[in-house]
Amino acid sequence: ADVAYLRSVLPSSTDDAFFDYLATLDASEVTVTAIPEGSVVFPRVPFLQVKGPLLVVQLLETTLLCLVNYASLVATNAARFRLLAGPDMKLMEMGLRRAQGPDGALSASRYSYIGGFDCTSNILAGKLYGIPVRGTIAHSFVMSFRGLEEARPRELLPRAGGDPVDLAGLAVSWLQRVCELLQTPPGKANQGELAAFVSYAATFPCDFQGLLDTYCVRRSGLPNFCAVALALHQLGYQAIGVRLDSGDLAQQSKEIRGVFRACGAHFQVPWFGTIPIAVSNDISEQSLEEFRREGSEIDMIGIGTNLVTCPLQPSLGCVYKLVEVNGSPCLKLTEDEEKMTIPGMKAIYRLYDTAGHPFMDLMALEEEPSPRAGQELGIRVLGQLEETTRVTPSTVEPLHRTYFRDGQVCEPLPSLPEVRTHAQVSLSLLSPAHRRLQEPQPYPV
């Protein structure tokens, strides 16, 4: 069917023998070597090499670049967020509504997880890839309730057993006590919001969380949440968190943490002061830098638009270039020096210093002898080719592995969690000078 379609769109003068030849193409003649998925790769280093008949390998160009470019871009963007957030902050990918279509959204969920995010709001990505899924209630859910009489269900069985308790009535009594403590009028707390919290808590008593900013955090969302959470506590349950989606997130998180601690101390509920606080709302790298600079009580960050659309660098310029034909090296000459290709089939090595940090990636022709640990090497750094530098690595790591040969996958493919772990280990091995996001020290190749 593919060959028939090509006949319909190519010039009618195309030789029939060409179409006969296309029907005989066989991918088993192709060999693919690559740097393992999840590895840190630097500019100009060939992370994937394809050998085989020229037409066959040329047909793979667009497919391979499509599969690699956006995936690498999102994983890199996610890794930058992870480095800024630090190892302890929980990061949730929530970019489905902003992504470039459903395929882009699924790719973003998968590759942001590899880059270091902890979970996704994309349930389909969770189903297909096993990524942990998380989410919170929506503003529309809170807004759909007009008064406490609409709360459904209202009753809840105590966790230790016994008769059902009117959770709505219990929450109202707790709201009076919370508002007294916070010195805020109970009448300012929105009753529809309280009904939404009660309905959610009665349905999911072990997973209750509140969205605090539908109306007013201080006067309504926060006291309503505390009232329902304390009512749940009285019945043996524990709330799992809150989310903020507007305003000065860092400052509000500190104020909310103060209220949680005050409630925990006043009502003698020790865990209350540690209720996790999640934030969202167009979070960017700049946002994370501000959180760190100002200090915050944020435990989890949901990032969407600035993660999946990569506004700081909307595309990644991976290229696929011919470097050898029938044993003869090929070189592309161009006015732009950076676009000149490096000829010949290459072996790639990563050189490590005595501290265990990689300090240089080395390209050599395949037929050249492999470098060895402790061996002094004469090398030329890209961009400084007129100078020979001498280096002595403490450890040498060959980067390329053969993944496909003779029509078969010949290297076990890692699971998604294994790739994610490998990515984080790869990043952690970089020296701080190379890993920093602002003005990093150039990594030589």
Side-chain angles (χ1 to χ4, degrees):
D2 293 337
V3 173
Y5 172 74
L6 289 174
R7 281 183 184 273
S8 73
V9 295
L10 286 177
S12 58
S13 58
T14 304
D15 196 317
D16 285 344
F18 175 67
F19 298 107
D20 295 336
Y21 168 63
L22 288 180
T24 69
L25 293 183
D26 186 357
S28 67
E29 300 176 78
V30 170
T31 299
V32 178
T33 61
I35 298 174
E37 186 180 16
S39 300
V40 174
V41 181
F42 295 97
R44 307 301 298 274
V45 174
F47 64 86
L48 187 148
Q49 292 190 126
V50 184
K51 301 179 185 177
L54 182 59
L55 180 60
V56 179
V57 300
Q58 201 61 57
L59 285 172
L60 294 172
E61 174 178 7
T62 300
T63 298
L64 289 174
L65 288 177
C66 176
L67 291 171
V68 163
N69 268 314
Y70 182 66
S72 299
L73 181 68
V74 172
T76 301
N77 199 28
R80 291 177 61 90
F81 277 110
R82 170 51 69 196
L83 289 171
L84 279 169
D88 300 324
M89 181 70 71
K90 295 292 184 183
L91 294 178
M92 176 171 65
E93 178 272 317
M94 47 190 302
L96 178 59
R97 300 172 187 180
R98 300 289 188 268
Q100 289 91 340
D103 293 338
L106 284 168
S107 295
S109 298
R110 175 183 172 88
Y111 292 103
S112 62
Y113 184 64
I114 286 176
F117 274 58
D118 298 285
C119 51
T120 179
S121 65
N122 187 340
I123 305 297
L124 183 57
K127 176 185 176 184
L128 294 177
Y129 306 134
I131 302 171
V133 291
R134 288 288 297 273
T136 65
I137 63 177
H139 287 295
S140 59
F141 174 79
V142 176
M143 294 166 65
S144 68
F145 291 83
R146 307 304 293 271
L148 198 56
E149 69 280 356
E150 296 180 9
R152 295 290 187 276
R154 297 175 63 94
E155 293 186 334
L156 179 64
L157 290 172
R159 194 165 192 175
D163 295 330
V165 175
D166 179 8
L167 183 62
L170 194 59
V172 169
S173 67
W174 273 107
L175 181 61
Q176 294 290 332
R177 300 170 66 182
V178 169
C179 287
E180 287 177 13
L181 176 66
L182 302 183
Q183 298 183 332
T184 183
K188 295 290 186 180
N190 186 282
Q191 291 295 293
E193 182 180 59
L194 181 61
F197 288 173
V198 167
S199 299
Y200 191 92
T203 307
F204 303 107
C206 295
D207 296 280
F208 173 58
Q209 52 190 321
L211 177 59
L212 302 186
D213 62 341
T214 305
Y215 301 110
C216 175
V217 175
R218 178 71 184 180
R219 294 196 305 269
S220 183
L222 188 53
N224 276 335
F225 171 81
C226 290
V228 176
L230 289 165
L232 279 178
H233 170 73
Q234 186 174 333
L235 300 180
Y237 301 97
Q238 185 169 324
I240 65 168
V242 296
R243 177 166 71 98
L244 290 168
D245 191 48
S246 59
D248 187 335
L249 300 175
Q251 181 59 35
Q252 286 187 97
S253 74
K254 289 185 277 190
E255 294 172 0
I256 290 167
R257 181 68 68 211
V259 169
F260 286 166
R261 287 172 178 155
C263 286
H266 185 78
F267 299 118
Q268 298 183 333
V269 184
W271 59 264
F272 213 85
T274 62
I275 292 175
I277 299 172
V279 299
S280 54
N281 187 27
D282 278 341
I283 303 293
S284 63
E285 288 189 9
Q286 182 180 357
S287 304
L288 268 62
E289 291 172 342
E290 291 172 356
F291 295 161
R292 185 170 56 187
R293 184 170 58 249
E294 298 173 13
S296 77
E297 291 289 340
I298 296 168
D299 302 288
M300 185 175 194
I301 301 174
I303 307 176
T305 303
N306 288 293
L307 174 64
V308 304
T309 64
C310 306
L312 294 181
Q313 182 181 323
S315 65
L316 195 66
C318 296
V319 295
Y320 185 90
K321 296 298 181 183
L322 188 66
V323 295
E324 189 170 301
V325 177
N326 296 326
S328 178
C330 301
L331 170 64
K332 175 189 174 184
L333 292 171
T334 175
E335 299 295 326
D336 187 346
E337 184 177 340
E338 286 192 354
K339 298 189 74 171
M340 290 176 59
T341 59
I342 302 170
M345 296 299 296
K346 291 168 279 292
I348 313 298
Y349 305 93
R350 184 152 290 172
L351 310 184
Y352 292 80
D353 59 23
T354 54
H357 299 305
F359 68 88
M360 178 179 291
D361 280 5
L362 178 66
M363 288 186 281
L365 294 176
E366 280 190 331
E367 61 267 23
E368 290 186 272
S370 301
R372 300 189 306 274
Q375 173 194 13
E376 187 179 70
L377 302 169
I379 57 93
R380 294 173 185 264
V381 176
L382 290 178
Q384 307 169 31
L385 293 179
E386 67 283 354
E387 303 175 17
T388 299
T389 305
R390 309 206 71 82
V391 297
T392 305
S394 294
T395 305
V396 176
E397 178 190 11
L399 292 186
H400 275 178
R401 301 180 189 175
T402 300
Y403 282 93
F404 188 83
R405 177 188 286 136
D406 299 328
Q408 299 295 322
V409 175
C410 49
E411 175 89 15
L413 299 181
S415 66
L416 187 60
E418 288 172 334
V419 175
R420 181 178 187 270
T421 298
H422 177 60
Q424 299 312 303
V425 170
S426 297
L427 286 167
S428 69
L429 290 176
L430 295 178
S431 71
H434 292 139
R435 193 169 59 234
R436 65 180 180 235
L437 301 185
Q438 301 297 330
E439 299 181 355
Q441 179 180 320
Y443 185 90
V445 175

Coordinates of all heavy atoms in Angstrom, one line a residue, residues 185-251:
P185 N -14.6 36.5 60.8 CA -16.0 36.2 61.0 C -16.5 34.9 60.3 O -16.2 34.7 59.1 CB -16.7 37.4 60.3 CG -15.6 38.5 60.2 CD -14.3 37.7 60.1
P186 N -17.2 34.0 61.0 CA -17.7 32.8 60.3 C -18.6 33.1 59.1 O -18.6 32.3 58.1 CB -18.4 32.1 61.4 CG -17.9 32.7 62.7 CD -17.5 34.1 62.4
G187 N -19.3 34.2 59.1 CA -20.2 34.5 58.0 C -19.5 34.8 56.7 O -20.1 34.8 55.7
K188 N -18.1 35.1 56.8 CA -17.4 35.4 55.6 C -17.0 34.1 54.8 O -16.6 34.1 53.6 CB -16.1 36.1 55.9 CG -16.4 37.5 56.4 CD -16.9 38.5 55.4 CE -17.0 39.9 55.9 NZ -17.6 40.8 54.8
A189 N -17.1 32.9 55.5 CA -16.7 31.6 54.9 C -17.9 31.2 53.9 O -19.0 31.1 54.3 CB -16.5 30.6 55.9
N190 N -17.5 31.0 52.7 CA -18.6 30.6 51.7 C -19.2 29.3 52.0 O -18.5 28.3 52.1 CB -17.9 30.6 50.3 CG -18.9 30.4 49.2 OD1 -19.3 29.3 48.9 ND2 -19.2 31.5 48.5
Q191 N -20.5 29.2 52.1 CA -21.2 28.0 52.4 C -21.2 27.0 51.3 O -21.1 25.7 51.6 CB -22.6 28.3 52.8 CG -22.7 29.1 54.1 CD -22.2 28.3 55.3 OE1 -22.8 27.3 55.7 NE2 -21.1 28.7 55.9
G192 N -21.2 27.4 50.1 CA -21.1 26.5 49.0 C -19.7 25.8 49.0 O -19.6 24.6 48.7
E193 N -18.7 26.5 49.3 CA -17.3 26.0 49.4 C -17.3 24.9 50.5 O -16.7 23.9 50.3 CB -16.3 27.1 49.6 CG -14.9 26.6 49.7 CD -13.9 27.8 49.9 OE1 -14.1 28.5 50.9 OE2 -13.0 28.0 49.1
L194 N -17.9 25.3 51.6 CA -17.9 24.3 52.8 C -18.6 23.0 52.4 O -18.2 21.9 52.7 CB -18.6 25.0 54.0 CG -18.7 24.1 55.2 CD1 -17.3 23.7 55.7 CD2 -19.4 24.8 56.3
A195 N -19.7 23.2 51.6 CA -20.5 22.0 51.1 C -19.6 21.2 50.2 O -19.7 19.9 50.3 CB -21.8 22.5 50.4
A196 N -18.9 21.8 49.3 CA -18.0 21.1 48.4 C -16.9 20.3 49.2 O -16.7 19.1 48.9 CB -17.3 22.0 47.4
F197 N -16.3 20.9 50.2 CA -15.3 20.2 51.0 C -15.9 19.1 51.8 O -15.3 18.0 51.9 CB -14.7 21.2 52.0 CG -13.7 22.2 51.3 CD1 -13.2 23.2 52.1 CD2 -13.4 22.1 50.0 CE1 -12.3 24.2 51.5 CE2 -12.5 23.1 49.4 CZ -12.0 24.1 50.1
V198 N -17.1 19.3 52.3 CA -17.8 18.2 53.1 C -18.1 17.0 52.2 O -17.9 15.9 52.5 CB -19.1 18.7 53.8 CG1 -19.9 17.6 54.3 CG2 -18.7 19.7 54.9
S199 N -18.6 17.3 51.0 CA -19.0 16.3 50.0 C -17.8 15.5 49.6 O -17.8 14.2 49.5 CB -19.7 16.9 48.8 OG -20.8 17.6 49.1
Y200 N -16.7 16.2 49.4 CA -15.4 15.5 48.9 C -14.9 14.7 50.1 O -14.5 13.5 49.9 CB -14.4 16.5 48.5 CG -13.2 15.9 47.8 CD1 -13.1 15.8 46.5 CD2 -12.1 15.5 48.6 CE1 -12.0 15.2 45.8 CE2 -11.0 14.9 48.0 CZ -11.0 14.8 46.6 OH -9.9 14.3 46.0
A201 N -14.9 15.2 51.3 CA -14.3 14.5 52.5 C -15.2 13.3 52.8 O -14.6 12.3 53.2 CB -14.3 15.5 53.7
A202 N -16.5 13.4 52.7 CA -17.3 12.3 53.0 C -17.2 11.1 52.0 O -17.3 10.0 52.3 CB -18.8 12.7 53.1
T203 N -16.8 11.5 50.8 CA -16.6 10.5 49.7 C -15.2 9.9 49.8 O -15.0 8.7 49.6 CB -16.8 11.2 48.3 OG1 -18.1 11.8 48.3 CG2 -16.8 10.1 47.2
F204 N -14.2 10.8 50.1 CA -12.8 10.3 50.1 C -12.2 10.7 51.5 O -11.3 11.6 51.5 CB -12.0 10.9 49.0 CG -12.5 10.6 47.6 CD1 -13.2 11.6 46.9 CD2 -12.4 9.4 47.0 CE1 -13.7 11.3 45.6 CE2 -12.9 9.1 45.8 CZ -13.5 10.1 45.0
P205 N -12.6 10.1 52.5 CA -12.2 10.6 53.9 C -10.7 10.3 54.1 O -10.1 11.1 54.9 CB -13.0 9.7 54.8 CG -13.4 8.5 54.1 CD -13.6 9.0 52.7
C206 N -10.1 9.4 53.4 CA -8.6 9.1 53.6 C -7.8 9.9 52.6 O -6.6 9.9 52.6 CB -8.3 7.6 53.4 SG -9.1 6.6 54.6
D207 N -8.5 10.7 51.7 CA -7.7 11.5 50.7 C -8.3 12.9 50.5 O -8.2 13.5 49.4 CB -7.9 10.7 49.3 CG -7.2 9.4 49.3 OD1 -6.0 9.3 49.2 OD2 -8.0 8.4 49.5
F208 N -8.7 13.4 51.6 CA -9.3 14.8 51.6 C -8.2 15.8 51.4 O -7.2 15.9 52.1 CB -10.0 15.1 52.8 CG -10.5 16.5 52.9 CD1 -11.4 17.0 51.9 CD2 -10.1 17.3 53.9 CE1 -11.8 18.3 51.9 CE2 -10.6 18.7 54.0 CZ -11.4 19.2 53.0
Q209 N -8.4 16.7 50.4 CA -7.5 17.8 50.1 C -8.4 19.0 49.7 O -9.5 18.8 49.2 CB -6.5 17.5 49.0 CG -7.1 17.0 47.8 CD -6.1 16.4 46.8 OE1 -5.0 17.0 46.7 NE2 -6.4 15.3 46.2
G210 N -7.9 20.2 49.9 CA -8.7 21.4 49.6 C -8.1 22.3 48.6 O -6.8 22.5 48.7
L211 N -8.9 22.9 47.8 CA -8.4 24.0 46.9 C -8.9 25.3 47.5 O -10.1 25.5 47.6 CB -9.1 23.8 45.5 CG -8.8 24.8 44.4 CD1 -7.3 25.0 44.2 CD2 -9.5 24.5 43.1
L212 N -7.9 26.1 48.0 CA -8.3 27.2 48.9 C -8.7 28.5 48.3 O -9.2 29.4 49.0 CB -7.1 27.4 49.8 CG -6.6 26.2 50.7 CD1 -5.5 26.6 51.6 CD2 -7.7 25.5 51.4
D213 N -8.4 28.7 47.0 CA -8.5 30.1 46.5 C -9.7 30.3 45.5 O -9.6 31.2 44.7 CB -7.2 30.5 45.8 CG -6.8 29.7 44.6 OD1 -7.4 28.6 44.5 OD2 -6.0 30.1 43.8
T214 N -10.7 29.5 45.6 CA -11.9 29.7 44.8 C -12.5 31.1 45.1 O -13.0 31.8 44.2 CB -12.9 28.6 44.9 OG1 -12.3 27.4 44.7 CG2 -14.1 28.8 43.9
Y215 N -12.6 31.4 46.4 CA -13.2 32.7 46.8 C -12.2 33.6 47.5 O -11.7 34.6 46.9 CB -14.5 32.4 47.6 CG -15.5 31.6 46.9 CD1 -15.7 30.2 47.2 CD2 -16.2 32.1 45.8 CE1 -16.7 29.5 46.5 CE2 -17.1 31.3 45.1 CZ -17.3 30.0 45.5 OH -18.2 29.3 44.8
C216 N -11.8 33.3 48.7 CA -10.8 34.0 49.4 C -10.1 33.1 50.4 O -10.7 32.4 51.2 CB -11.5 35.2 50.2 SG -10.3 36.0 51.3
V217 N -8.8 33.0 50.2 CA -8.0 32.0 51.0 C -8.2 32.3 52.5 O -8.5 31.4 53.3 CB -6.5 32.1 50.6 CG1 -5.7 31.2 51.5 CG2 -6.3 31.7 49.2
R218 N -7.9 33.5 52.9 CA -7.9 33.8 54.3 C -9.3 33.7 55.0 O -9.4 33.2 56.1 CB -7.3 35.2 54.5 CG -7.2 35.7 56.0 CD -6.2 34.9 56.8 NE -6.2 35.3 58.2 CZ -5.4 34.8 59.1 NH1 -4.5 33.9 58.8 NH2 -5.4 35.2 60.4
R219 N -10.3 34.3 54.4 CA -11.6 34.4 55.0 C -12.5 33.2 54.8 O -13.4 33.0 55.5 CB -12.3 35.7 54.5 CG -11.7 37.0 54.9 CD -12.6 38.2 54.8 NE -13.2 38.2 53.4 CZ -12.6 39.0 52.4 NH1 -11.5 39.6 52.7 NH2 -13.1 39.0 51.2
S220 N -12.2 32.4 53.7 CA -13.1 31.3 53.3 C -12.4 30.0 53.2 O -12.7 29.0 53.9 CB -13.9 31.7 52.1 OG -14.9 30.7 51.8
G221 N -11.5 29.9 52.2 CA -10.9 28.6 51.8 C -10.2 28.0 53.0 O -10.4 26.8 53.3
L222 N -9.4 28.8 53.7 CA -8.6 28.2 54.8 C -9.4 27.8 56.0 O -9.3 26.7 56.5 CB -7.5 29.2 55.1 CG -6.4 28.8 56.1 CD1 -5.8 27.5 55.7 CD2 -5.4 29.9 56.3
P223 N -10.3 28.7 56.5 CA -11.1 28.2 57.6 C -12.0 27.1 57.3 O -12.2 26.1 58.1 CB -11.9 29.5 58.0 CG -11.8 30.4 56.9 CD -10.5 30.1 56.2
N224 N -12.6 27.1 56.1 CA -13.5 25.9 55.6 C -12.7 24.6 55.6 O -13.1 23.6 56.1 CB -14.1 26.2 54.3 CG -15.3 27.1 54.4 OD1 -16.0 27.1 55.4 ND2 -15.7 27.8 53.3
F225 N -11.5 24.7 55.0 CA -10.6 23.5 55.0 C -10.3 23.0 56.4 O -10.4 21.8 56.7 CB -9.4 23.7 54.2 CG -8.4 22.6 54.3 CD1 -8.5 21.4 53.5 CD2 -7.4 22.6 55.2 CE1 -7.6 20.4 53.7 CE2 -6.5 21.6 55.4 CZ -6.6 20.4 54.6
C226 N -9.8 23.9 57.2 CA -9.5 23.5 58.6 C -10.7 22.9 59.3 O -10.5 21.9 60.1 CB -8.9 24.7 59.4 SG -7.3 25.3 58.8
A227 N -11.8 23.5 59.2 CA -13.0 23.0 59.8 C -13.3 21.5 59.4 O -13.6 20.6 60.2 CB -14.2 23.9 59.6
V228 N -13.3 21.3 58.1 CA -13.6 19.9 57.6 C -12.5 19.0 58.0 O -12.7 17.8 58.4 CB -13.8 19.9 56.1 CG1 -14.0 18.5 55.5 CG2 -15.0 20.8 55.7
A229 N -11.2 19.4 57.9 CA -10.1 18.5 58.3 C -10.1 18.2 59.8 O -9.8 17.0 60.1 CB -8.8 19.2 57.9
L230 N -10.5 19.1 60.6 CA -10.6 18.8 62.0 C -11.8 17.9 62.3 O -11.8 17.0 63.2 CB -10.7 20.1 62.8 CG -9.4 20.9 62.9 CD1 -9.6 22.3 63.4 CD2 -8.4 20.2 63.8
A231 N -12.9 18.1 61.6 CA -14.0 17.2 61.7 C -13.7 15.8 61.3 O -14.0 14.8 62.0 CB -15.2 17.7 60.9
L232 N -12.9 15.6 60.2 CA -12.4 14.3 59.8 C -11.5 13.7 60.9 O -11.6 12.5 61.2 CB -11.6 14.4 58.5 CG -12.4 14.5 57.2 CD1 -11.5 14.7 56.0 CD2 -13.3 13.2 57.0
H233 N -10.6 14.6 61.5 CA -9.7 14.1 62.5 C -10.5 13.5 63.7 O -10.2 12.5 64.3 CB -8.8 15.2 63.0 CG -8.0 14.9 64.2 ND1 -7.0 14.0 64.2 CD2 -8.2 15.3 65.5 CE1 -6.5 13.9 65.4 NE2 -7.2 14.7 66.2
Q234 N -11.6 14.2 64.1 CA -12.4 13.7 65.2 C -13.0 12.3 64.9 O -13.2 11.6 65.8 CB -13.6 14.7 65.4 CG -14.4 14.4 66.7 CD -15.4 15.5 66.9 OE1 -15.2 16.7 66.6 NE2 -16.5 15.2 67.6
L235 N -13.2 12.0 63.6 CA -13.7 10.7 63.2 C -12.6 9.7 62.9 O -12.9 8.6 62.4 CB -14.7 10.9 62.1 CG -15.9 11.8 62.3 CD1 -16.7 11.9 61.1 CD2 -16.7 11.3 63.5
G236 N -11.3 10.1 63.1 CA -10.2 9.2 62.9 C -9.5 9.3 61.6 O -8.7 8.4 61.3
Y237 N -9.8 10.3 60.8 CA -9.1 10.4 59.5 C -8.2 11.6 59.4 O -8.2 12.5 60.3 CB -10.2 10.7 58.4 CG -11.2 9.6 58.3 CD1 -12.5 9.7 58.9 CD2 -11.0 8.4 57.6 CE1 -13.4 8.7 58.9 CE2 -11.9 7.4 57.5 CZ -13.1 7.5 58.1 OH -14.1 6.5 58.1
Q238 N -7.3 11.6 58.4 CA -6.3 12.7 58.3 C -6.3 13.3 56.9 O -6.1 12.5 55.9 CB -4.9 12.1 58.6 CG -3.8 13.1 58.7 CD -2.5 12.5 59.3 OE1 -2.5 11.7 60.2 NE2 -1.4 13.0 58.7
A239 N -6.4 14.6 56.8 CA -6.4 15.3 55.5 C -5.0 15.2 54.9 O -4.0 15.1 55.6 CB -6.8 16.7 55.7
I240 N -4.9 15.2 53.5 CA -3.6 14.9 52.9 C -3.0 16.2 52.2 O -1.9 16.1 51.8 CB -3.7 13.8 51.8 CG1 -4.6 14.2 50.7 CG2 -4.2 12.5 52.5 CD1 -4.6 13.3 49.5
G241 N -3.7 17.3 52.2 CA -3.1 18.5 51.6 C -4.0 19.5 51.1 O -5.3 19.4 51.1
V242 N -3.4 20.7 50.7 CA -4.2 21.8 50.1 C -3.5 22.2 48.9 O -2.3 21.9 48.7 CB -4.3 23.0 51.1 CG1 -5.2 22.6 52.3 CG2 -3.0 23.5 51.5
R243 N -4.2 23.0 48.0 CA -3.5 23.6 46.8 C -3.9 25.0 46.7 O -5.1 25.4 47.0 CB -4.0 22.8 45.5 CG -3.4 23.5 44.3 CD -3.5 22.5 43.1 NE -4.8 22.4 42.6 CZ -5.3 23.1 41.5 NH1 -4.6 24.0 40.9 NH2 -6.6 22.8 41.1
L244 N -2.9 25.8 46.3 CA -3.1 27.2 45.9 C -2.9 27.4 44.4 O -2.0 26.8 43.9 CB -2.1 28.1 46.7 CG -2.3 28.3 48.2 CD1 -1.1 28.9 48.8 CD2 -3.5 29.1 48.5
D245 N -3.7 28.3 43.8 CA -3.6 28.5 42.4 C -3.6 29.9 41.9 O -3.8 30.2 40.8 CB -4.8 27.7 41.7 CG -4.6 27.6 40.2 OD1 -3.5 27.2 39.7 OD2 -5.6 27.9 39.4
S246 N -3.3 30.8 42.9 CA -3.3 32.3 42.5 C -2.6 33.0 43.6 O -2.4 32.6 44.7 CB -4.7 32.8 42.2 OG -5.5 32.7 43.4
G247 N -2.2 34.3 43.3 CA -1.6 35.2 44.2 C -0.2 34.9 44.5 O 0.5 34.2 43.8
D248 N 0.3 35.5 45.6 CA 1.7 35.4 46.0 C 1.9 34.0 46.7 O 1.6 33.9 47.9 CB 2.1 36.5 46.9 CG 3.6 36.5 47.3 OD1 4.2 35.4 47.2 OD2 4.1 37.6 47.7
L249 N 2.3 33.0 45.9 CA 2.2 31.6 46.4 C 3.2 31.4 47.6 O 2.8 30.7 48.5 CB 2.6 30.7 45.3 CG 1.6 30.8 44.1 CD1 2.1 29.8 42.9 CD2 0.2 30.4 44.5
A250 N 4.4 32.0 47.5 CA 5.3 31.8 48.6 C 4.9 32.4 49.9 O 4.9 31.7 50.9 CB 6.7 32.3 48.2
Q251 N 4.4 33.6 49.8 CA 3.9 34.3 51.0 C 2.7 33.6 51.6 O 2.6 33.4 52.8 CB 3.6 35.8 50.7 CG 3.1 36.6 51.9 CD 4.1 36.6 53.0 OE1 5.4 36.6 52.8 NE2 3.6 36.6 54.3

